[in-house]
Amino acid sequence: MNMWLTLSFQDSASFIMEQMTFFYDFSFLIILMILLFVVYVMISLIFECFTNRFVLDNQVVESIWTVLPLVILVFLALPSIRILYLMDEMKNPMISCKVLGHQWFWSYEYSDFDSFEFDSYMIHNYMRLLETDNCFVIPLGLKIRLLVSSVDVLHSWTVPAFGVKVDSIPGRLNQLNFTTNRLGVYFGQCSEICGINHSFMPIMVEVVPGKLFGVWLVNSAM
């Protein structure tokens, strides 16, 4: 989770979030280089007393500042499109789960295991109002598909460490795909204003090894 004075992203816990972090660093470096160049040119023009007459009507210079931004946009677009396709629908997911938003809690259903389901409510006076009584447990390294909807108003299921955010819309089924690569407990919150207790419906996800996931599933379903 985010700690005090943390200005960057949370540590990634999925392959998608890793790629999004790499793309952010890459694009930020390019934007920083452009900013420094523009600032240098502006300062030079401010303190320069003379004007180069060949700059005012120079076809070569105009071609350069037309083609160069195009090349930069291509370098930014290619990794962005790659991440977009990585986030697209996943083929042959290992586990499919349903997530339903309520005012003001979440309910989870493991459709592949005899429709085992439970509700997840916030526990008061615990870790920054982010802990829940029933944690959403998923196995490490497997392809997870979430089917997200709502029973009343708009919600949004969001876990920053996974790099996922999907709207929970009444009467509509949205799909979310991801694969985790780190063990641990990760937190999120509803990211769509859904009423007076919008800030009191946190998301708590625990990533466990596959064997422990099977044990938890058997014990919880009993």
Side-chain angles (χ1 to χ4, degrees):
M1 70 169 62
N2 278 335
M3 304 304 291
W4 177 250
L5 293 180
T6 299
L7 301 179
S8 60
F9 295 116
Q10 296 184 19
D11 293 336
S12 63
S14 69
F15 297 105
I16 294 297
M17 187 59 186
E18 281 186 356
Q19 297 300 317
M20 293 175 67
T21 304
F22 293 153
F23 175 68
Y24 169 80
D25 295 337
F26 173 70
S27 58
F28 181 80
L29 178 62
I30 293 179
I31 294 172
L32 181 62
M33 294 172 60
I34 296 173
L35 176 63
L36 293 177
F37 175 74
V38 171
V39 171
Y40 168 75
V41 171
M42 293 179 63
I43 293 177
S44 300
L45 293 175
I46 291 174
F47 292 100
E48 182 62 48
C49 299
F50 301 98
T51 301
N52 191 334
R53 62 189 179 92
F54 296 106
V55 175
L56 298 179
D57 188 14
N58 192 319
Q59 298 296 327
V60 176
V61 174
E62 292 181 1
S63 300
I64 291 175
W65 71 42
T66 302
V67 174
L68 187 58
L70 177 62
V71 174
I72 294 174
L73 289 177
V74 170
F75 273 95
L76 289 175
L78 291 178
S80 177
I81 294 174
R82 177 176 177 270
I83 295 175
L84 184 63
Y85 276 95
L86 287 175
M87 298 174 65
D88 202 359
E89 183 175 351
M90 183 183 296
K91 294 183 179 180
N92 302 321
M94 302 299 293
I95 295 178
S96 295
C97 301
K98 294 179 182 177
V99 180
L100 292 176
H102 305 258
Q103 288 183 316
W104 288 270
F105 64 95
W106 296 97
S107 62
Y108 301 93
E109 178 181 336
Y110 293 81
S111 306
D112 299 331
F113 306 97
D114 296 330
S115 296
F116 164 61
E117 59 182 321
F118 58 87
D119 296 331
S120 180
Y121 292 88
M122 184 189 71
I123 302 177
H124 290 274
N125 300 324
Y126 272 69
M127 187 186 303
R128 296 160 60 178
L129 301 179
L130 291 175
E131 289 193 88
T132 60
D133 54 353
N134 292 313
C135 183
F136 180 46
V137 181
I138 56 176
L140 174 71
L142 296 184
K143 298 179 180 179
I144 309 295
R145 178 177 65 181
L146 296 185
L147 303 175
V148 184
S149 186
S150 173
V151 299
D152 38 47
V153 299
L154 291 176
H155 301 280
S156 184
W157 198 87
T158 308
V159 180
F162 297 161
V164 295
K165 179 180 183 294
V166 61
D167 289 333
S168 174
I169 304 174
R172 179 170 178 175
L173 205 60
N174 286 334
Q175 182 170 299
L176 178 68
N177 306 283
F178 62 92
T179 303
T180 58
N181 58 3
R182 283 189 181 183
L183 299 173
V185 179
Y186 303 95
F187 301 92
Q189 290 177 302
C190 176
S191 299
E192 186 75 34
I193 297 178
C194 56
I196 187 172
N197 288 328
H198 156 70
S199 58
F200 298 111
M201 50 181 305
I203 301 164
M204 185 175 176
V205 183
E206 184 176 2
V207 181
V208 299
K211 293 183 179 180
L212 292 182
F213 175 74
V215 174
W216 171 86
L217 197 61
V218 172
N219 294 335
S220 301
M222 292 177 60

mmCIF file of all heavy atoms in Angstrom, residues 125-162:
data_model
loop_
_atom_site.group_PDB
_atom_site.id
_atom_site.type_symbol
_atom_site.label_atom_id
_atom_site.label_comp_id
_atom_site.label_asym_id
_atom_site.label_seq_id
_atom_site.Cartn_x
_atom_site.Cartn_y
_atom_site.Cartn_z
ATOM 1 N N ASN A 125 -11.712 0.771 12.532
ATOM 2 C CA ASN A 125 -10.596 1.062 13.435
ATOM 3 C C ASN A 125 -9.386 0.160 13.198
ATOM 4 O O ASN A 125 -8.599 -0.066 14.106
ATOM 5 C CB ASN A 125 -11.028 0.953 14.901
ATOM 6 C CG ASN A 125 -12.143 1.917 15.242
ATOM 7 O OD1 ASN A 125 -12.166 3.038 14.730
ATOM 8 N ND2 ASN A 125 -13.067 1.500 16.081
ATOM 9 N N TYR A 126 -9.233 -0.353 11.973
ATOM 10 C CA TYR A 126 -8.046 -1.130 11.633
ATOM 11 C C TYR A 126 -7.189 -0.312 10.670
ATOM 12 O O TYR A 126 -7.296 0.909 10.598
ATOM 13 C CB TYR A 126 -8.438 -2.489 11.041
ATOM 14 C CG TYR A 126 -8.642 -3.547 12.100
ATOM 15 C CD1 TYR A 126 -9.720 -3.477 12.984
ATOM 16 C CD2 TYR A 126 -7.766 -4.614 12.236
ATOM 17 C CE1 TYR A 126 -9.917 -4.430 13.953
ATOM 18 C CE2 TYR A 126 -7.959 -5.587 13.204
ATOM 19 C CZ TYR A 126 -9.046 -5.487 14.065
ATOM 20 O OH TYR A 126 -9.234 -6.439 15.032
ATOM 21 N N MET A 127 -6.326 -0.986 9.940
ATOM 22 C CA MET A 127 -5.319 -0.328 9.137
ATOM 23 C C MET A 127 -5.920 0.639 8.115
ATOM 24 O O MET A 127 -6.296 0.249 7.018
ATOM 25 C CB MET A 127 -4.474 -1.376 8.410
ATOM 26 C CG MET A 127 -3.273 -0.816 7.658
ATOM 27 S SD MET A 127 -2.436 -2.088 6.698
ATOM 28 C CE MET A 127 -2.061 -3.272 7.975
ATOM 29 N N ARG A 128 -6.037 1.916 8.499
ATOM 30 C CA ARG A 128 -6.486 2.984 7.615
ATOM 31 C C ARG A 128 -7.799 2.647 6.930
ATOM 32 O O ARG A 128 -8.043 3.013 5.797
ATOM 33 C CB ARG A 128 -5.397 3.277 6.582
ATOM 34 C CG ARG A 128 -4.130 3.817 7.206
ATOM 35 C CD ARG A 128 -2.926 3.664 6.329
ATOM 36 N NE ARG A 128 -3.048 4.358 5.062
ATOM 37 C CZ ARG A 128 -2.065 4.389 4.153
ATOM 38 N NH1 ARG A 128 -0.925 3.766 4.386
ATOM 39 N NH2 ARG A 128 -2.238 5.032 3.024
ATOM 40 N N LEU A 129 -8.661 1.913 7.622
ATOM 41 C CA LEU A 129 -9.983 1.535 7.105
ATOM 42 C C LEU A 129 -9.879 0.796 5.769
ATOM 43 O O LEU A 129 -10.709 0.971 4.880
ATOM 44 C CB LEU A 129 -10.863 2.775 6.953
ATOM 45 C CG LEU A 129 -11.120 3.592 8.226
ATOM 46 C CD1 LEU A 129 -11.986 4.797 7.915
ATOM 47 C CD2 LEU A 129 -11.756 2.732 9.303
ATOM 48 N N LEU A 130 -8.873 -0.059 5.637
ATOM 49 C CA LEU A 130 -8.657 -0.813 4.410
ATOM 50 C C LEU A 130 -8.839 -2.313 4.588
ATOM 51 O O LEU A 130 -8.886 -3.045 3.599
ATOM 52 C CB LEU A 130 -7.255 -0.550 3.848
ATOM 53 C CG LEU A 130 -6.994 0.852 3.293
ATOM 54 C CD1 LEU A 130 -5.534 0.989 2.879
ATOM 55 C CD2 LEU A 130 -7.901 1.133 2.110
ATOM 56 N N GLU A 131 -8.946 -2.782 5.819
ATOM 57 C CA GLU A 131 -9.079 -4.219 6.052
ATOM 58 C C GLU A 131 -10.541 -4.637 6.035
ATOM 59 O O GLU A 131 -11.434 -3.867 6.370
ATOM 60 C CB GLU A 131 -8.417 -4.607 7.376
ATOM 61 C CG GLU A 131 -6.901 -4.526 7.347
ATOM 62 C CD GLU A 131 -6.286 -5.220 8.544
ATOM 63 O OE1 GLU A 131 -6.039 -6.439 8.463
ATOM 64 O OE2 GLU A 131 -6.074 -4.544 9.556
ATOM 65 N N THR A 132 -10.768 -5.888 5.654
ATOM 66 C CA THR A 132 -12.118 -6.433 5.584
ATOM 67 C C THR A 132 -12.211 -7.712 6.405
ATOM 68 O O THR A 132 -11.183 -8.334 6.724
ATOM 69 C CB THR A 132 -12.505 -6.732 4.130
ATOM 70 O OG1 THR A 132 -11.584 -7.679 3.573
ATOM 71 C CG2 THR A 132 -12.475 -5.461 3.297
ATOM 72 N N ASP A 133 -13.444 -8.099 6.725
ATOM 73 C CA ASP A 133 -13.626 -9.308 7.524
ATOM 74 C C ASP A 133 -13.348 -10.573 6.705
ATOM 75 O O ASP A 133 -12.811 -11.554 7.214
ATOM 76 C CB ASP A 133 -15.040 -9.349 8.118
ATOM 77 C CG ASP A 133 -16.116 -9.205 7.045
ATOM 78 O OD1 ASP A 133 -15.769 -8.943 5.880
ATOM 79 O OD2 ASP A 133 -17.304 -9.356 7.390
ATOM 80 N N ASN A 134 -13.705 -10.564 5.427
ATOM 81 C CA ASN A 134 -13.438 -11.692 4.533
ATOM 82 C C ASN A 134 -12.574 -11.213 3.374
ATOM 83 O O ASN A 134 -12.963 -10.302 2.635
ATOM 84 C CB ASN A 134 -14.741 -12.291 3.993
ATOM 85 C CG ASN A 134 -15.544 -12.966 5.081
ATOM 86 O OD1 ASN A 134 -15.011 -13.738 5.877
ATOM 87 N ND2 ASN A 134 -16.828 -12.671 5.132
ATOM 88 N N CYS A 135 -11.418 -11.816 3.244
ATOM 89 C CA CYS A 135 -10.450 -11.391 2.238
ATOM 90 C C CYS A 135 -10.673 -12.163 0.937
ATOM 91 O O CYS A 135 -10.983 -13.355 0.945
ATOM 92 C CB CYS A 135 -9.039 -11.622 2.774
ATOM 93 S SG CYS A 135 -7.739 -11.063 1.685
ATOM 94 N N PHE A 136 -10.531 -11.484 -0.179
ATOM 95 C CA PHE A 136 -10.593 -12.121 -1.489
ATOM 96 C C PHE A 136 -9.254 -12.801 -1.756
ATOM 97 O O PHE A 136 -8.230 -12.133 -1.897
ATOM 98 C CB PHE A 136 -10.911 -11.082 -2.559
ATOM 99 C CG PHE A 136 -11.003 -11.636 -3.952
ATOM 100 C CD1 PHE A 136 -11.714 -12.798 -4.203
ATOM 101 C CD2 PHE A 136 -10.385 -10.994 -5.010
ATOM 102 C CE1 PHE A 136 -11.808 -13.313 -5.486
ATOM 103 C CE2 PHE A 136 -10.473 -11.498 -6.296
ATOM 104 C CZ PHE A 136 -11.182 -12.657 -6.534
ATOM 105 N N VAL A 137 -9.257 -14.113 -1.818
ATOM 106 C CA VAL A 137 -8.021 -14.893 -1.934
ATOM 107 C C VAL A 137 -7.879 -15.417 -3.354
ATOM 108 O O VAL A 137 -8.828 -15.976 -3.924
ATOM 109 C CB VAL A 137 -8.018 -16.072 -0.931
ATOM 110 C CG1 VAL A 137 -6.721 -16.871 -1.043
ATOM 111 C CG2 VAL A 137 -8.200 -15.550 0.487
ATOM 112 N N ILE A 138 -6.687 -15.235 -3.938
ATOM 113 C CA ILE A 138 -6.403 -15.733 -5.280
ATOM 114 C C ILE A 138 -5.037 -16.411 -5.280
ATOM 115 O O ILE A 138 -4.171 -16.077 -4.479
ATOM 116 C CB ILE A 138 -6.433 -14.598 -6.331
ATOM 117 C CG1 ILE A 138 -5.459 -13.495 -5.945
ATOM 118 C CG2 ILE A 138 -7.833 -14.052 -6.494
ATOM 119 C CD1 ILE A 138 -5.361 -12.391 -6.984
ATOM 120 N N PRO A 139 -4.827 -17.371 -6.177
ATOM 121 C CA PRO A 139 -3.546 -18.086 -6.231
ATOM 122 C C PRO A 139 -2.482 -17.297 -6.996
ATOM 123 O O PRO A 139 -2.795 -16.478 -7.865
ATOM 124 C CB PRO A 139 -3.898 -19.393 -6.947
ATOM 125 C CG PRO A 139 -5.064 -19.041 -7.793
ATOM 126 C CD PRO A 139 -5.830 -17.978 -7.069
ATOM 127 N N LEU A 140 -1.247 -17.582 -6.693
ATOM 128 C CA LEU A 140 -0.117 -16.910 -7.323
ATOM 129 C C LEU A 140 0.145 -17.489 -8.711
ATOM 130 O O LEU A 140 0.141 -18.698 -8.911
ATOM 131 C CB LEU A 140 1.134 -17.070 -6.451
ATOM 132 C CG LEU A 140 2.448 -16.541 -7.013
ATOM 133 C CD1 LEU A 140 2.440 -15.020 -7.038
ATOM 134 C CD2 LEU A 140 3.631 -17.059 -6.205
ATOM 135 N N GLY A 141 0.392 -16.602 -9.674
ATOM 136 C CA GLY A 141 0.885 -17.005 -10.976
ATOM 137 C C GLY A 141 -0.140 -17.592 -11.925
ATOM 138 O O GLY A 141 0.233 -18.016 -13.020
ATOM 139 N N LEU A 142 -1.403 -17.653 -11.564
ATOM 140 C CA LEU A 142 -2.421 -18.201 -12.449
ATOM 141 C C LEU A 142 -3.202 -17.078 -13.141
ATOM 142 O O LEU A 142 -3.317 -15.974 -12.612
ATOM 143 C CB LEU A 142 -3.396 -19.096 -11.669
ATOM 144 C CG LEU A 142 -2.802 -20.354 -11.032
ATOM 145 C CD1 LEU A 142 -3.904 -21.177 -10.390
ATOM 146 C CD2 LEU A 142 -2.032 -21.181 -12.046
ATOM 147 N N LYS A 143 -3.732 -17.361 -14.301
ATOM 148 C CA LYS A 143 -4.527 -16.397 -15.042
ATOM 149 C C LYS A 143 -5.886 -16.245 -14.367
ATOM 150 O O LYS A 143 -6.651 -17.208 -14.274
ATOM 151 C CB LYS A 143 -4.702 -16.841 -16.492
ATOM 152 C CG LYS A 143 -3.405 -16.941 -17.274
ATOM 153 C CD LYS A 143 -3.670 -17.419 -18.696
ATOM 154 C CE LYS A 143 -2.385 -17.529 -19.495
ATOM 155 N NZ LYS A 143 -2.646 -18.019 -20.878
ATOM 156 N N ILE A 144 -6.178 -15.030 -13.917
ATOM 157 C CA ILE A 144 -7.418 -14.747 -13.204
ATOM 158 C C ILE A 144 -8.326 -13.899 -14.090
ATOM 159 O O ILE A 144 -7.882 -12.910 -14.677
ATOM 160 C CB ILE A 144 -7.157 -14.011 -11.878
ATOM 161 C CG1 ILE A 144 -6.098 -14.745 -11.045
ATOM 162 C CG2 ILE A 144 -8.444 -13.848 -11.097
ATOM 163 C CD1 ILE A 144 -6.514 -16.097 -10.577
ATOM 164 N N ARG A 145 -9.592 -14.301 -14.173
ATOM 165 C CA ARG A 145 -10.586 -13.495 -14.873
ATOM 166 C C ARG A 145 -11.674 -13.106 -13.883
ATOM 167 O O ARG A 145 -12.256 -13.969 -13.217
ATOM 168 C CB ARG A 145 -11.203 -14.266 -16.037
ATOM 169 C CG ARG A 145 -12.295 -13.472 -16.760
ATOM 170 C CD ARG A 145 -12.836 -14.220 -17.957
ATOM 171 N NE ARG A 145 -13.521 -15.450 -17.548
ATOM 172 C CZ ARG A 145 -14.082 -16.303 -18.403
ATOM 173 N NH1 ARG A 145 -13.989 -16.078 -19.699
ATOM 174 N NH2 ARG A 145 -14.687 -17.391 -17.958
ATOM 175 N N LEU A 146 -11.938 -11.812 -13.790
ATOM 176 C CA LEU A 146 -12.991 -11.307 -12.916
ATOM 177 C C LEU A 146 -14.144 -10.788 -13.760
ATOM 178 O O LEU A 146 -13.936 -10.054 -14.731
ATOM 179 C CB LEU A 146 -12.463 -10.175 -12.018
ATOM 180 C CG LEU A 146 -11.365 -10.520 -11.010
ATOM 181 C CD1 LEU A 146 -11.073 -9.310 -10.134
ATOM 182 C CD2 LEU A 146 -11.753 -11.698 -10.154
ATOM 183 N N LEU A 147 -15.339 -11.183 -13.392
ATOM 184 C CA LEU A 147 -16.563 -10.671 -14.000
ATOM 185 C C LEU A 147 -17.210 -9.731 -12.992
ATOM 186 O O LEU A 147 -17.631 -10.171 -11.918
ATOM 187 C CB LEU A 147 -17.503 -11.814 -14.381
ATOM 188 C CG LEU A 147 -16.899 -12.857 -15.331
ATOM 189 C CD1 LEU A 147 -17.866 -14.008 -15.548
ATOM 190 C CD2 LEU A 147 -16.519 -12.220 -16.660
ATOM 191 N N VAL A 148 -17.255 -8.459 -13.318
ATOM 192 C CA VAL A 148 -17.613 -7.419 -12.350
ATOM 193 C C VAL A 148 -18.945 -6.784 -12.744
ATOM 194 O O VAL A 148 -19.171 -6.433 -13.907
ATOM 195 C CB VAL A 148 -16.512 -6.346 -12.278
ATOM 196 C CG1 VAL A 148 -16.846 -5.327 -11.198
ATOM 197 C CG2 VAL A 148 -15.161 -6.985 -12.006
ATOM 198 N N SER A 149 -19.831 -6.644 -11.744
ATOM 199 C CA SER A 149 -21.108 -5.982 -11.957
ATOM 200 C C SER A 149 -21.551 -5.349 -10.645
ATOM 201 O O SER A 149 -20.812 -5.359 -9.653
ATOM 202 C CB SER A 149 -22.162 -6.972 -12.475
ATOM 203 O OG SER A 149 -23.359 -6.292 -12.802
ATOM 204 N N SER A 150 -22.755 -4.788 -10.630
ATOM 205 C CA SER A 150 -23.288 -4.137 -9.441
ATOM 206 C C SER A 150 -24.762 -4.485 -9.296
ATOM 207 O O SER A 150 -25.443 -4.788 -10.278
ATOM 208 C CB SER A 150 -23.108 -2.619 -9.538
ATOM 209 O OG SER A 150 -23.763 -1.962 -8.468
ATOM 210 N N VAL A 151 -25.252 -4.427 -8.064
ATOM 211 C CA VAL A 151 -26.659 -4.725 -7.806
ATOM 212 C C VAL A 151 -27.472 -3.461 -7.531
ATOM 213 O O VAL A 151 -28.697 -3.540 -7.411
ATOM 214 C CB VAL A 151 -26.808 -5.701 -6.617
ATOM 215 C CG1 VAL A 151 -26.122 -7.009 -6.916
ATOM 216 C CG2 VAL A 151 -26.262 -5.089 -5.343
ATOM 217 N N ASP A 152 -26.802 -2.298 -7.407
ATOM 218 C CA ASP A 152 -27.559 -1.086 -7.093
ATOM 219 C C ASP A 152 -27.094 0.124 -7.897
ATOM 220 O O ASP A 152 -27.751 0.535 -8.839
ATOM 221 C CB ASP A 152 -27.508 -0.790 -5.582
ATOM 222 C CG ASP A 152 -26.153 -1.098 -4.969
ATOM 223 O OD1 ASP A 152 -25.142 -0.688 -5.563
ATOM 224 O OD2 ASP A 152 -26.112 -1.741 -3.902
ATOM 225 N N VAL A 153 -25.918 0.684 -7.563
ATOM 226 C CA VAL A 153 -25.438 1.890 -8.234
ATOM 227 C C VAL A 153 -24.049 1.624 -8.805
ATOM 228 O O VAL A 153 -23.522 0.522 -8.717
ATOM 229 C CB VAL A 153 -25.394 3.085 -7.249
ATOM 230 C CG1 VAL A 153 -26.772 3.398 -6.707
ATOM 231 C CG2 VAL A 153 -24.423 2.804 -6.093
ATOM 232 N N LEU A 154 -23.456 2.664 -9.395
ATOM 233 C CA LEU A 154 -22.118 2.532 -9.968
ATOM 234 C C LEU A 154 -21.071 2.369 -8.877
ATOM 235 O O LEU A 154 -21.060 3.100 -7.886
ATOM 236 C CB LEU A 154 -21.779 3.766 -10.811
ATOM 237 C CG LEU A 154 -22.547 3.954 -12.122
ATOM 238 C CD1 LEU A 154 -22.139 5.279 -12.767
ATOM 239 C CD2 LEU A 154 -22.267 2.812 -13.075
ATOM 240 N N HIS A 155 -20.175 1.407 -9.056
ATOM 241 C CA HIS A 155 -19.003 1.229 -8.217
ATOM 242 C C HIS A 155 -17.793 1.053 -9.139
ATOM 243 O O HIS A 155 -17.923 1.040 -10.364
ATOM 244 C CB HIS A 155 -19.151 0.003 -7.310
ATOM 245 C CG HIS A 155 -20.337 0.061 -6.394
ATOM 246 N ND1 HIS A 155 -20.352 0.778 -5.220
ATOM 247 C CD2 HIS A 155 -21.570 -0.521 -6.498
ATOM 248 C CE1 HIS A 155 -21.527 0.645 -4.627
ATOM 249 N NE2 HIS A 155 -22.286 -0.136 -5.389
ATOM 250 N N SER A 156 -16.619 0.892 -8.544
ATOM 251 C CA SER A 156 -15.415 0.645 -9.339
ATOM 252 C C SER A 156 -14.446 -0.185 -8.507
ATOM 253 O O SER A 156 -14.019 0.240 -7.430
ATOM 254 C CB SER A 156 -14.762 1.961 -9.764
ATOM 255 O OG SER A 156 -13.658 1.717 -10.608
ATOM 256 N N TRP A 157 -14.119 -1.364 -9.010
ATOM 257 C CA TRP A 157 -13.209 -2.292 -8.313
ATOM 258 C C TRP A 157 -11.778 -1.973 -8.734
ATOM 259 O O TRP A 157 -11.413 -2.116 -9.903
ATOM 260 C CB TRP A 157 -13.565 -3.732 -8.668
ATOM 261 C CG TRP A 157 -13.020 -4.757 -7.731
ATOM 262 C CD1 TRP A 157 -13.589 -5.215 -6.577
ATOM 263 C CD2 TRP A 157 -11.797 -5.489 -7.875
ATOM 264 N NE1 TRP A 157 -12.797 -6.167 -5.986
ATOM 265 C CE2 TRP A 157 -11.686 -6.358 -6.764
ATOM 266 C CE3 TRP A 157 -10.783 -5.484 -8.835
ATOM 267 C CZ2 TRP A 157 -10.606 -7.220 -6.590
ATOM 268 C CZ3 TRP A 157 -9.703 -6.333 -8.663
ATOM 269 C CH2 TRP A 157 -9.623 -7.186 -7.547
ATOM 270 N N THR A 158 -10.969 -1.526 -7.774
ATOM 271 C CA THR A 158 -9.635 -1.015 -8.087
ATOM 272 C C THR A 158 -8.616 -1.545 -7.086
ATOM 273 O O THR A 158 -8.812 -1.422 -5.873
ATOM 274 C CB THR A 158 -9.617 0.525 -8.045
ATOM 275 O OG1 THR A 158 -10.670 1.026 -8.866
ATOM 276 C CG2 THR A 158 -8.294 1.067 -8.523
ATOM 277 N N VAL A 159 -7.518 -2.102 -7.609
ATOM 278 C CA VAL A 159 -6.374 -2.504 -6.796
ATOM 279 C C VAL A 159 -5.124 -1.929 -7.466
ATOM 280 O O VAL A 159 -4.668 -2.457 -8.493
ATOM 281 C CB VAL A 159 -6.258 -4.032 -6.656
ATOM 282 C CG1 VAL A 159 -5.059 -4.398 -5.798
ATOM 283 C CG2 VAL A 159 -7.529 -4.612 -6.048
ATOM 284 N N PRO A 160 -4.550 -0.841 -6.944
ATOM 285 C CA PRO A 160 -3.422 -0.184 -7.617
ATOM 286 C C PRO A 160 -2.205 -1.087 -7.817
ATOM 287 O O PRO A 160 -1.515 -0.968 -8.837
ATOM 288 C CB PRO A 160 -3.097 0.983 -6.674
ATOM 289 C CG PRO A 160 -4.366 1.256 -5.941
ATOM 290 C CD PRO A 160 -5.014 -0.087 -5.768
ATOM 291 N N ALA A 161 -1.912 -1.975 -6.872
ATOM 292 C CA ALA A 161 -0.728 -2.829 -7.003
ATOM 293 C C ALA A 161 -0.855 -3.797 -8.172
ATOM 294 O O ALA A 161 0.156 -4.254 -8.721
ATOM 295 C CB ALA A 161 -0.494 -3.606 -5.707
ATOM 296 N N PHE A 162 -2.070 -4.121 -8.575
ATOM 297 C CA PHE A 162 -2.287 -4.993 -9.733
ATOM 298 C C PHE A 162 -2.410 -4.200 -11.034
ATOM 299 O O PHE A 162 -2.419 -4.787 -12.110
ATOM 300 C CB PHE A 162 -3.563 -5.827 -9.553
ATOM 301 C CG PHE A 162 -3.516 -6.777 -8.399
ATOM 302 C CD1 PHE A 162 -4.682 -7.299 -7.860
ATOM 303 C CD2 PHE A 162 -2.311 -7.163 -7.831
ATOM 304 C CE1 PHE A 162 -4.651 -8.179 -6.801
ATOM 305 C CE2 PHE A 162 -2.265 -8.042 -6.758
ATOM 306 C CZ PHE A 162 -3.438 -8.550 -6.244
#
